[in-house]
């Protein structure tokens, strides 16, 4: 089993930045792609970003491209999402996910999910 724990969320003003972290534990072998998804109140969960195990391939939703950056540190079993130039519409619970294949925008392809971290952008 793989356990994922997100952290780094918080309350920020529009234009601010955060770095979200997702720490993986358990039976984490090589080859896991990681993704970030988010869910705003009353909305469906949507894709945000994904990264291959090597970090050589990244995917972004159009709504965050140029503002968010996904990265990973495999020796630390951690994936990050740097979120810059935050907008009120970025307010959501942010979830990380893992799968044993390539990076994907399709959330059903991910096998493991964290509990989420809240990002709230004011004004």
């Amino acid at each position: 089993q793989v356990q994922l724990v997100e952290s780094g969320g918080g309350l920020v003003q529009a234009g601010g930045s955060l770095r979200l972290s997702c720490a993986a534990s358990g039976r984490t072998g090589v080859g896991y792609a990681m993704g970030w998804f988010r869910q705003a109140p009353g909305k469906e969960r949507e894709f945000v970003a994904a990264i291959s195990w090597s970090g050589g391939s990244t995917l972004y939703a159009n709504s965050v491209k140029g503002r968010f950056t996904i990265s990973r540190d495999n020796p630390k079993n951690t994936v990050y999402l740097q979120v810059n130039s935050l907008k009120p519409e970025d307010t959501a619970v942010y979830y990380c996910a893992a799968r044993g294949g390539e990076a994907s925008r399709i959330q059903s392809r991910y096998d493991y999910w964290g509990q989420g971290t809240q990002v709230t952008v004011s004004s």
Side-chain angles (χ1 to χ4, degrees), residues 98-113:
R99 70 181 300 257
E102 64 187 41
S104 176
R105 295 179 172 90
I106 309 301
Q107 60 185 295
S108 63
R109 293 179 176 175
Y110 290 83
D111 302 304
Y112 305 100
W113 292 83

Side-chain angles (χ1 to χ4, degrees), residues 16-20 48 67-69 81-86 90 94 119:
S17 299
L18 291 168
R19 189 179 72 164
L20 309 183
V48 176
R67 299 188 297 121
F68 292 10
T69 303
L81 186 69
Q82 179 70 41
V83 295
N84 297 329
S85 302
L86 285 165
D90 295 318
Y94 284 70
V119 172

Side-chain angles (χ1 to χ4, degrees), residues 9 13 17 23 31 40 60 63 66 88 93 107 117 122:
Q13 293 186 338
S17 299
Y60 294 96
S63 60
V93 177
Q107 60 185 295
T117 186
S122 64

Side-chain angles (χ1 to χ4, degrees), residues 31-76:
Y32 279 97
M34 302 292 295
W36 284 96
F37 297 79
R38 68 186 183 186
Q39 187 168 26
K43 304 285 188 177
E44 300 256 19
R45 188 161 61 187
E46 65 177 355
F47 169 77
V48 176
I51 188 168
S52 63
W53 182 86
S54 68
S57 178
T58 57
L59 303 170
Y60 294 96
N62 288 336
S63 60
V64 306
K65 196 169 186 178
R67 299 188 297 121
F68 292 10
T69 303
I70 188 170
S71 62
R72 66 191 301 164
D73 186 343
N74 287 340
K76 295 182 178 179

